[in-house]
Amino acid sequence: YYLNYLKIFSVLSVLIVVFFYLFSDYLITLFGNDYTNQDNLMLIFSLGVMGALLLRVPLGNILAAVGWPKINALNSFVILVLNLILSYIFIFKYGIVGAAIVTASMMWLSGVFSLIAFVLYLKMETKK
């Protein structure tokens, strides 16, 4: 199931990133003049969305479906704490771009945590 999902959403994710790479300077103006010259924010967030689409969302749902919802809750809690700490640091150093980098990174990290949990689940199930 997950491998078929990846085939479809890998292409979709790449298209999303390319779209935001090409049109981010126009799209960012929808948020107002304060964000002018911050077109890289859209690209950073689209890279984060890519991580969420490929890893966090499907694997989080799979883990919940196989009876590991506590792992999802733990993952979310750890990511929330890391996001707060790292955002505090990065916002002071890099401003709004720092917040975007942290948020996008946390999407990927959360997905990696979900992937690790899923691999552990599969190993446990194959040993039964």
Side-chain angles (χ1 to χ4, degrees):
Y1 168 78
Y2 180 57
L3 294 177
N4 286 330
Y5 175 92
L6 282 179
K7 290 176 188 175
I8 296 167
F9 279 88
S10 294
V11 173
L12 183 62
S13 294
V14 169
L15 291 174
I16 289 170
V17 171
V18 169
F19 174 79
F20 281 106
Y21 176 76
L22 295 175
F23 300 107
S24 62
D25 51 342
Y26 302 111
L27 294 171
I28 199 72
T29 59
L30 296 172
F31 296 101
N33 292 333
D34 294 340
Y35 295 98
T36 306
N37 298 326
Q38 295 291 339
D39 53 325
N40 54 352
L41 290 176
M42 297 294 270
L43 178 60
I44 293 168
F45 281 127
S46 69
L47 290 170
V49 167
M50 182 183 216
L53 280 175
L54 295 178
L55 297 172
R56 178 64 177 119
V57 173
L59 292 172
N61 289 334
I62 291 170
L63 289 171
V66 298
W68 282 26
K70 290 182 182 179
I71 298 299
N72 277 337
L74 180 62
N75 183 0
S76 297
F77 179 74
V78 169
I79 292 301
L80 174 65
V81 171
L82 283 174
N83 199 347
L84 289 172
I85 293 167
L86 293 174
S87 289
Y88 182 80
I89 295 166
F90 274 62
I91 288 172
F92 280 114
K93 284 189 174 187
Y94 305 107
I96 194 167
V97 173
I101 290 170
V102 169
T103 301
S105 300
M106 291 300 105
M107 289 182 197
W108 276 97
L109 186 60
S110 179
V112 169
F113 287 165
S114 293
L115 179 61
I116 291 168
F118 182 60
V119 169
L120 289 173
Y121 169 79
L122 289 177
K123 284 184 180 183
M124 288 175 56
E125 285 300 307
T126 56
K127 287 183 180 180
K128 286 184 178 180

